[in-house]
Amino acid sequence: MPDKEATGLNLQGMERYYLVRQDILPEALIKTVQAKELLARGEVKTVHEAVEQVELSRSAFYKYKDGIFPLSKLERERIVTVSIDLEHRSGILSKVLAMIAELEGNVLTIHQSIPLQGVANVVVSVETSVMNDTVTELLERLHRLDGVSRAVLVGQG
């Protein structure tokens, strides 16, 4: 079993992020961003066309596409989606929502599963444009809440 450092997770199970200069990135990562930009601008219609144009394998594109973003894009993103596992006890979801509101996050959607084996999964989309804290701080505070067993960023956009 790989250790958490090798998987990009810290000791609390949260993903870790790094800011890295482009000139030290592997070529496959740079080409993945280029392919994503071609798709976003509508210059190509399919992933196949995009990877062919930048000379990247489809497998490399799919391996890296959800893990690399231009910094300028991340600065503009204002909606995050977080998957949270909650103990099946009264009031836990209310505590999560109150904490998000306290950070001035605006909850846009909530999807909750039926509790299985005492745990319910909740996926929350939060608009973060007026939050003073970072998404990392949001995740750390969620981890510290009593009744939250896992909180993971699953998307931005």
Side-chain angles (χ1 to χ4, degrees), residues 7-120:
T7 62
L9 299 175
N10 69 13
L11 296 176
Q12 289 82 31
M14 296 185 328
E15 293 178 341
R16 294 171 45 173
Y17 295 89
Y18 301 92
L19 181 62
V20 181
R21 269 191 351 258
Q22 178 178 340
D23 64 319
I24 65 171
L25 288 174
E27 186 177 14
L29 290 172
I30 294 166
K31 288 184 175 187
T32 299
V33 170
Q34 292 170 343
K36 288 173 62 171
E37 289 172 347
L38 288 172
L39 288 161
R41 290 191 306 260
E43 294 179 25
V44 294
K45 300 221 182 299
T46 66
V47 169
H48 178 73
E49 291 173 318
V51 297
E52 196 171 78
Q53 189 165 329
V54 299
E55 299 178 348
L56 177 69
S57 71
R58 284 171 45 106
S59 63
F61 176 82
Y62 284 110
K63 179 178 181 179
Y64 298 124
K65 74 176 182 67
D66 294 328
I68 186 163
F69 306 91
L71 183 59
S72 60
K73 180 171 176 56
L74 289 179
E75 289 171 345
R76 288 191 310 262
E77 298 296 347
R78 299 293 186 223
I79 299 172
V80 296
T81 303
V82 180
S83 176
I84 309 165
D85 287 344
L86 305 176
E87 294 176 12
H88 181 54
R89 289 189 285 136
S90 180
I92 302 291
L93 180 57
S94 293
K95 287 180 187 177
V96 167
L97 298 175
M99 191 271 304
I100 292 170
E102 179 182 308
L103 294 174
E104 297 189 42
N106 182 25
V107 175
L108 302 173
T109 64
I110 303 170
H111 299 281
Q112 182 175 354
S113 70
I114 294 173
L116 298 174
Q117 299 177 346
V119 176

